[in-house]
PDB file of all heavy atoms in Angstrom:
ATOM      1  N   ASP A 209      -3.372  -6.347  -7.633  1.00 90.00           N
ATOM      2  CA  ASP A 209      -4.245  -5.818  -8.681  1.00 90.00           C
ATOM      3  C   ASP A 209      -4.464  -4.330  -8.419  1.00 90.00           C
ATOM      4  O   ASP A 209      -4.902  -3.948  -7.331  1.00 90.00           O
ATOM      5  CB  ASP A 209      -5.583  -6.561  -8.655  1.00 90.00           C
ATOM      6  CG  ASP A 209      -6.533  -6.090  -9.752  1.00 90.00           C
ATOM      7  OD1 ASP A 209      -6.064  -5.477 -10.728  1.00 90.00           O
ATOM      8  OD2 ASP A 209      -7.746  -6.332  -9.610  1.00 90.00           O
ATOM      9  N   VAL A 210      -4.129  -3.486  -9.392  1.00 91.00           N
ATOM     10  CA  VAL A 210      -4.280  -2.036  -9.230  1.00 91.00           C
ATOM     11  C   VAL A 210      -5.391  -1.543 -10.140  1.00 91.00           C
ATOM     12  O   VAL A 210      -5.362  -1.776 -11.351  1.00 91.00           O
ATOM     13  CB  VAL A 210      -2.963  -1.298  -9.551  1.00 91.00           C
ATOM     14  CG1 VAL A 210      -3.159   0.213  -9.411  1.00 91.00           C
ATOM     15  CG2 VAL A 210      -1.845  -1.779  -8.635  1.00 91.00           C
ATOM     16  N   ARG A 211      -6.359  -0.861  -9.557  1.00 91.00           N
ATOM     17  CA  ARG A 211      -7.455  -0.259 -10.333  1.00 91.00           C
ATOM     18  C   ARG A 211      -7.389   1.252 -10.150  1.00 91.00           C
ATOM     19  O   ARG A 211      -7.521   1.752  -9.033  1.00 91.00           O
ATOM     20  CB  ARG A 211      -8.808  -0.782  -9.857  1.00 91.00           C
ATOM     21  CG  ARG A 211      -8.949  -2.296  -9.924  1.00 91.00           C
ATOM     22  CD  ARG A 211      -8.834  -2.818 -11.349  1.00 91.00           C
ATOM     23  NE  ARG A 211      -8.974  -4.266 -11.412  1.00 91.00           N
ATOM     24  CZ  ARG A 211     -10.115  -4.895 -11.618  1.00 91.00           C
ATOM     25  NH1 ARG A 211     -11.241  -4.197 -11.756  1.00 91.00           N
ATOM     26  NH2 ARG A 211     -10.149  -6.219 -11.660  1.00 91.00           N
ATOM     27  N   ASP A 212      -7.161   1.968 -11.232  1.00 91.00           N
ATOM     28  CA  ASP A 212      -7.003   3.423 -11.204  1.00 91.00           C
ATOM     29  C   ASP A 212      -8.213   4.028 -11.906  1.00 91.00           C
ATOM     30  O   ASP A 212      -8.362   3.895 -13.124  1.00 91.00           O
ATOM     31  CB  ASP A 212      -5.702   3.808 -11.904  1.00 91.00           C
ATOM     32  CG  ASP A 212      -5.243   5.215 -11.566  1.00 91.00           C
ATOM     33  OD1 ASP A 212      -6.107   6.093 -11.376  1.00 91.00           O
ATOM     34  OD2 ASP A 212      -4.022   5.439 -11.484  1.00 91.00           O
ATOM     35  N   LEU A 213      -9.076   4.703 -11.141  1.00 92.00           N
ATOM     36  CA  LEU A 213     -10.390   5.102 -11.657  1.00 92.00           C
ATOM     37  C   LEU A 213     -10.619   6.600 -11.596  1.00 92.00           C
ATOM     38  O   LEU A 213     -10.183   7.281 -10.658  1.00 92.00           O
ATOM     39  CB  LEU A 213     -11.493   4.406 -10.854  1.00 92.00           C
ATOM     40  CG  LEU A 213     -11.394   2.878 -10.740  1.00 92.00           C
ATOM     41  CD1 LEU A 213     -12.391   2.371  -9.716  1.00 92.00           C
ATOM     42  CD2 LEU A 213     -11.639   2.235 -12.096  1.00 92.00           C
ATOM     43  N   GLN A 217     -15.820   6.557 -14.014  1.00 91.00           N
ATOM     44  CA  GLN A 217     -15.678   5.095 -14.012  1.00 91.00           C
ATOM     45  C   GLN A 217     -16.155   4.458 -12.714  1.00 91.00           C
ATOM     46  O   GLN A 217     -16.314   3.244 -12.649  1.00 91.00           O
ATOM     47  CB  GLN A 217     -14.201   4.728 -14.231  1.00 91.00           C
ATOM     48  CG  GLN A 217     -13.667   5.125 -15.595  1.00 91.00           C
ATOM     49  CD  GLN A 217     -12.168   4.896 -15.699  1.00 91.00           C
ATOM     50  OE1 GLN A 217     -11.396   5.306 -14.837  1.00 91.00           O
ATOM     51  NE2 GLN A 217     -11.748   4.224 -16.759  1.00 91.00           N
ATOM     52  N   LEU A 218     -16.370   5.286 -11.700  1.00 91.00           N
ATOM     53  CA  LEU A 218     -16.802   4.761 -10.400  1.00 91.00           C
ATOM     54  C   LEU A 218     -18.288   5.090 -10.213  1.00 91.00           C
ATOM     55  O   LEU A 218     -18.655   6.103  -9.632  1.00 91.00           O
ATOM     56  CB  LEU A 218     -15.967   5.361  -9.275  1.00 91.00           C
ATOM     57  CG  LEU A 218     -16.071   4.650  -7.925  1.00 91.00           C
ATOM     58  CD1 LEU A 218     -15.496   3.242  -8.018  1.00 91.00           C
ATOM     59  CD2 LEU A 218     -15.350   5.430  -6.839  1.00 91.00           C
ATOM     60  N   GLY A 221     -22.256   1.301  -6.841  1.00 91.00           N
ATOM     61  CA  GLY A 221     -22.129  -0.151  -6.840  1.00 91.00           C
ATOM     62  C   GLY A 221     -20.777  -0.654  -7.304  1.00 91.00           C
ATOM     63  O   GLY A 221     -20.386  -1.794  -7.015  1.00 91.00           O
ATOM     64  N   THR A 222     -20.011   0.201  -8.031  1.00 93.00           N
ATOM     65  CA  THR A 222     -18.719  -0.245  -8.560  1.00 93.00           C
ATOM     66  C   THR A 222     -17.728  -0.539  -7.442  1.00 93.00           C
ATOM     67  O   THR A 222     -17.003  -1.547  -7.484  1.00 93.00           O
ATOM     68  CB  THR A 222     -18.122   0.826  -9.501  1.00 93.00           C
ATOM     69  OG1 THR A 222     -19.046   1.116 -10.546  1.00 93.00           O
ATOM     70  CG2 THR A 222     -16.815   0.339 -10.104  1.00 93.00           C
ATOM     71  N   LEU A 223     -17.689   0.325  -6.429  1.00 93.00           N
ATOM     72  CA  LEU A 223     -16.736   0.122  -5.347  1.00 93.00           C
ATOM     73  C   LEU A 223     -17.014  -1.186  -4.609  1.00 93.00           C
ATOM     74  O   LEU A 223     -16.087  -1.920  -4.244  1.00 93.00           O
ATOM     75  CB  LEU A 223     -16.779   1.302  -4.375  1.00 93.00           C
ATOM     76  CG  LEU A 223     -15.747   1.263  -3.241  1.00 93.00           C
ATOM     77  CD1 LEU A 223     -14.323   1.279  -3.800  1.00 93.00           C
ATOM     78  CD2 LEU A 223     -15.950   2.443  -2.286  1.00 93.00           C
ATOM     79  N   ALA A 224     -18.289  -1.486  -4.404  1.00 91.00           N
ATOM     80  CA  ALA A 224     -18.647  -2.743  -3.731  1.00 91.00           C
ATOM     81  C   ALA A 224     -18.156  -3.949  -4.533  1.00 91.00           C
ATOM     82  O   ALA A 224     -17.663  -4.930  -3.965  1.00 91.00           O
ATOM     83  CB  ALA A 224     -20.157  -2.813  -3.531  1.00 91.00           C
ATOM     84  N   GLU A 225     -18.264  -3.869  -5.859  1.00 90.00           N
ATOM     85  CA  GLU A 225     -17.791  -4.971  -6.707  1.00 90.00           C
ATOM     86  C   GLU A 225     -16.271  -5.114  -6.603  1.00 90.00           C
ATOM     87  O   GLU A 225     -15.743  -6.220  -6.482  1.00 90.00           O
ATOM     88  CB  GLU A 225     -18.178  -4.708  -8.163  1.00 90.00           C
ATOM     89  CG  GLU A 225     -19.679  -4.768  -8.438  1.00 90.00           C
ATOM     90  CD  GLU A 225     -19.997  -4.419  -9.883  1.00 90.00           C
ATOM     91  OE1 GLU A 225     -19.038  -4.323 -10.691  1.00 90.00           O
ATOM     92  OE2 GLU A 225     -21.184  -4.237 -10.209  1.00 90.00           O
ATOM     93  N   LEU A 226     -15.561  -3.979  -6.623  1.00 90.00           N
ATOM     94  CA  LEU A 226     -14.105  -4.015  -6.600  1.00 90.00           C
ATOM     95  C   LEU A 226     -13.553  -4.502  -5.262  1.00 90.00           C
ATOM     96  O   LEU A 226     -12.450  -5.053  -5.204  1.00 90.00           O
ATOM     97  CB  LEU A 226     -13.542  -2.616  -6.898  1.00 90.00           C
ATOM     98  CG  LEU A 226     -13.735  -2.088  -8.324  1.00 90.00           C
ATOM     99  CD1 LEU A 226     -13.260  -0.647  -8.417  1.00 90.00           C
ATOM    100  CD2 LEU A 226     -12.959  -2.958  -9.307  1.00 90.00           C
ATOM    101  N   THR A 227     -14.302  -4.261  -4.202  1.00 88.00           N
ATOM    102  CA  THR A 227     -13.796  -4.601  -2.864  1.00 88.00           C
ATOM    103  C   THR A 227     -14.457  -5.845  -2.282  1.00 88.00           C
ATOM    104  O   THR A 227     -14.254  -6.158  -1.109  1.00 88.00           O
ATOM    105  CB  THR A 227     -14.017  -3.420  -1.903  1.00 88.00           C
ATOM    106  OG1 THR A 227     -15.421  -3.085  -1.870  1.00 88.00           O
ATOM    107  CG2 THR A 227     -13.223  -2.203  -2.342  1.00 88.00           C
ATOM    108  N   SER A 228     -15.230  -6.565  -3.079  1.00 84.00           N
ATOM    109  CA  SER A 228     -15.870  -7.785  -2.589  1.00 84.00           C
ATOM    110  C   SER A 228     -14.818  -8.866  -2.375  1.00 84.00           C
ATOM    111  O   SER A 228     -13.782  -8.885  -3.045  1.00 84.00           O
ATOM    112  CB  SER A 228     -16.923  -8.275  -3.577  1.00 84.00           C
ATOM    113  OG  SER A 228     -16.326  -8.540  -4.834  1.00 84.00           O
ATOM    114  N   PRO A 229     -15.013  -9.781  -1.430  1.00 72.00           N
ATOM    115  CA  PRO A 229     -14.017 -10.828  -1.134  1.00 72.00           C
ATOM    116  C   PRO A 229     -13.686 -11.657  -2.365  1.00 72.00           C
ATOM    117  O   PRO A 229     -14.541 -11.954  -3.192  1.00 72.00           O
ATOM    118  CB  PRO A 229     -14.719 -11.673  -0.065  1.00 72.00           C
ATOM    119  CG  PRO A 229     -15.717 -10.754   0.548  1.00 72.00           C
ATOM    120  CD  PRO A 229     -16.189  -9.860  -0.555  1.00 72.00           C
ATOM    121  N   SER A 230     -12.417 -12.021  -2.476  1.00 67.00           N
ATOM    122  CA  SER A 230     -11.955 -12.821  -3.604  1.00 67.00           C
ATOM    123  C   SER A 230     -11.621 -14.230  -3.149  1.00 67.00           C
ATOM    124  O   SER A 230     -11.120 -14.434  -2.043  1.00 67.00           O
ATOM    125  CB  SER A 230     -10.707 -12.175  -4.229  1.00 67.00           C
ATOM    126  OG  SER A 230     -10.082 -13.046  -5.123  1.00 67.00           O
ATOM    127  N   GLU A 234      -6.581 -11.977  -3.037  1.00 79.00           N
ATOM    128  CA  GLU A 234      -5.539 -11.163  -3.648  1.00 79.00           C
ATOM    129  C   GLU A 234      -5.494  -9.773  -3.034  1.00 79.00           C
ATOM    130  O   GLU A 234      -6.507  -9.229  -2.580  1.00 79.00           O
ATOM    131  CB  GLU A 234      -5.777 -11.048  -5.153  1.00 79.00           C
ATOM    132  CG  GLU A 234      -7.075 -10.327  -5.497  1.00 79.00           C
ATOM    133  CD  GLU A 234      -7.312 -10.249  -6.989  1.00 79.00           C
ATOM    134  OE1 GLU A 234      -6.450 -10.698  -7.765  1.00 79.00           O
ATOM    135  OE2 GLU A 234      -8.384  -9.734  -7.380  1.00 79.00           O
ATOM    136  N   LYS A 236      -5.167  -5.796  -3.326  1.00 92.00           N
ATOM    137  CA  LYS A 236      -5.684  -4.889  -4.342  1.00 92.00           C
ATOM    138  C   LYS A 236      -5.483  -3.441  -3.894  1.00 92.00           C
ATOM    139  O   LYS A 236      -5.602  -3.124  -2.713  1.00 92.00           O
ATOM    140  CB  LYS A 236      -7.170  -5.167  -4.583  1.00 92.00           C
ATOM    141  CG  LYS A 236      -7.794  -4.386  -5.727  1.00 92.00           C
ATOM    142  CD  LYS A 236      -9.258  -4.769  -5.928  1.00 92.00           C
ATOM    143  CE  LYS A 236      -9.413  -6.193  -6.417  1.00 92.00           C
ATOM    144  NZ  LYS A 236     -10.818  -6.537  -6.749  1.00 92.00           N
ATOM    145  N   VAL A 237      -5.178  -2.578  -4.845  1.00 94.00           N
ATOM    146  CA  VAL A 237      -5.125  -1.136  -4.615  1.00 94.00           C
ATOM    147  C   VAL A 237      -6.171  -0.493  -5.517  1.00 94.00           C
ATOM    148  O   VAL A 237      -6.165  -0.707  -6.738  1.00 94.00           O
ATOM    149  CB  VAL A 237      -3.734  -0.548  -4.929  1.00 94.00           C
ATOM    150  CG1 VAL A 237      -3.759   0.981  -4.795  1.00 94.00           C
ATOM    151  CG2 VAL A 237      -2.675  -1.146  -4.007  1.00 94.00           C
ATOM    152  N   VAL A 238      -7.075   0.262  -4.919  1.00 95.00           N
ATOM    153  CA  VAL A 238      -8.115   0.967  -5.681  1.00 95.00           C
ATOM    154  C   VAL A 238      -7.851   2.459  -5.554  1.00 95.00           C
ATOM    155  O   VAL A 238      -7.891   3.013  -4.454  1.00 95.00           O
ATOM    156  CB  VAL A 238      -9.522   0.624  -5.161  1.00 95.00           C
ATOM    157  CG1 VAL A 238     -10.579   1.412  -5.958  1.00 95.00           C
ATOM    158  CG2 VAL A 238      -9.787  -0.870  -5.260  1.00 95.00           C
ATOM    159  N   VAL A 239      -7.553   3.096  -6.682  1.00 95.00           N
ATOM    160  CA  VAL A 239      -7.247   4.524  -6.712  1.00 95.00           C
ATOM    161  C   VAL A 239      -8.442   5.273  -7.289  1.00 95.00           C
ATOM    162  O   VAL A 239      -8.938   4.918  -8.362  1.00 95.00           O
ATOM    163  CB  VAL A 239      -5.990   4.794  -7.576  1.00 95.00           C
ATOM    164  CG1 VAL A 239      -5.680   6.289  -7.606  1.00 95.00           C
ATOM    165  CG2 VAL A 239      -4.801   3.992  -7.067  1.00 95.00           C
ATOM    166  N   VAL A 240      -8.892   6.293  -6.585  1.00 96.00           N
ATOM    167  CA  VAL A 240     -10.005   7.121  -7.067  1.00 96.00           C
ATOM    168  C   VAL A 240      -9.487   8.539  -7.250  1.00 96.00           C
ATOM    169  O   VAL A 240      -9.155   9.229  -6.278  1.00 96.00           O
ATOM    170  CB  VAL A 240     -11.183   7.116  -6.083  1.00 96.00           C
ATOM    171  CG1 VAL A 240     -12.318   7.998  -6.621  1.00 96.00           C
ATOM    172  CG2 VAL A 240     -11.676   5.691  -5.859  1.00 96.00           C
ATOM    173  N   TYR A 257     -18.204   2.288   2.724  1.00 95.00           N
ATOM    174  CA  TYR A 257     -17.024   1.422   2.697  1.00 95.00           C
ATOM    175  C   TYR A 257     -16.052   1.822   3.805  1.00 95.00           C
ATOM    176  O   TYR A 257     -15.421   0.958   4.437  1.00 95.00           O
ATOM    177  CB  TYR A 257     -16.337   1.502   1.338  1.00 95.00           C
ATOM    178  CG  TYR A 257     -15.030   0.743   1.306  1.00 95.00           C
ATOM    179  CD1 TYR A 257     -15.019  -0.636   1.140  1.00 95.00           C
ATOM    180  CD2 TYR A 257     -13.813   1.399   1.491  1.00 95.00           C
ATOM    181  CE1 TYR A 257     -13.826  -1.348   1.146  1.00 95.00           C
ATOM    182  CE2 TYR A 257     -12.622   0.705   1.491  1.00 95.00           C
ATOM    183  CZ  TYR A 257     -12.634  -0.673   1.333  1.00 95.00           C
ATOM    184  OH  TYR A 257     -11.457  -1.371   1.355  1.00 95.00           O
ATOM    185  N   ALA A 262     -12.271  -3.381   3.592  1.00 89.00           N
ATOM    186  CA  ALA A 262     -11.970  -4.794   3.365  1.00 89.00           C
ATOM    187  C   ALA A 262     -10.492  -5.081   3.628  1.00 89.00           C
ATOM    188  O   ALA A 262      -9.634  -4.210   3.455  1.00 89.00           O
ATOM    189  CB  ALA A 262     -12.326  -5.169   1.931  1.00 89.00           C
ATOM    190  N   ILE A 265      -7.037  -4.758   0.997  1.00 93.00           N
ATOM    191  CA  ILE A 265      -7.369  -3.739  -0.010  1.00 93.00           C
ATOM    192  C   ILE A 265      -6.953  -2.377   0.527  1.00 93.00           C
ATOM    193  O   ILE A 265      -7.236  -2.037   1.679  1.00 93.00           O
ATOM    194  CB  ILE A 265      -8.870  -3.739  -0.350  1.00 93.00           C
ATOM    195  CG1 ILE A 265      -9.216  -5.026  -1.106  1.00 93.00           C
ATOM    196  CG2 ILE A 265      -9.238  -2.514  -1.198  1.00 93.00           C
ATOM    197  CD1 ILE A 265     -10.666  -5.155  -1.473  1.00 93.00           C
ATOM    198  N   LEU A 267      -7.403   1.589  -0.315  1.00 96.00           N
ATOM    199  CA  LEU A 267      -8.142   2.588  -1.086  1.00 96.00           C
ATOM    200  C   LEU A 267      -7.363   3.899  -1.040  1.00 96.00           C
ATOM    201  O   LEU A 267      -6.951   4.356   0.025  1.00 96.00           O
ATOM    202  CB  LEU A 267      -9.537   2.790  -0.488  1.00 96.00           C
ATOM    203  CG  LEU A 267     -10.421   3.862  -1.153  1.00 96.00           C
ATOM    204  CD1 LEU A 267     -10.736   3.501  -2.601  1.00 96.00           C
ATOM    205  CD2 LEU A 267     -11.720   4.050  -0.355  1.00 96.00           C
TER     206      LEU A 267
END
Side-chain angles (χ1 to χ4, degrees):
D209 182 19
V210 178
R211 303 298 180 93
D212 197 326
L213 307 169
Q217 295 173 311
L218 195 65
T222 303
L223 184 61
E225 292 177 10
L226 291 174
T227 57
S228 59
S230 168
E234 64 181 357
K236 186 178 293 186
V237 175
V238 178
V239 180
V240 180
Y257 174 80
I265 291 179
L267 177 63

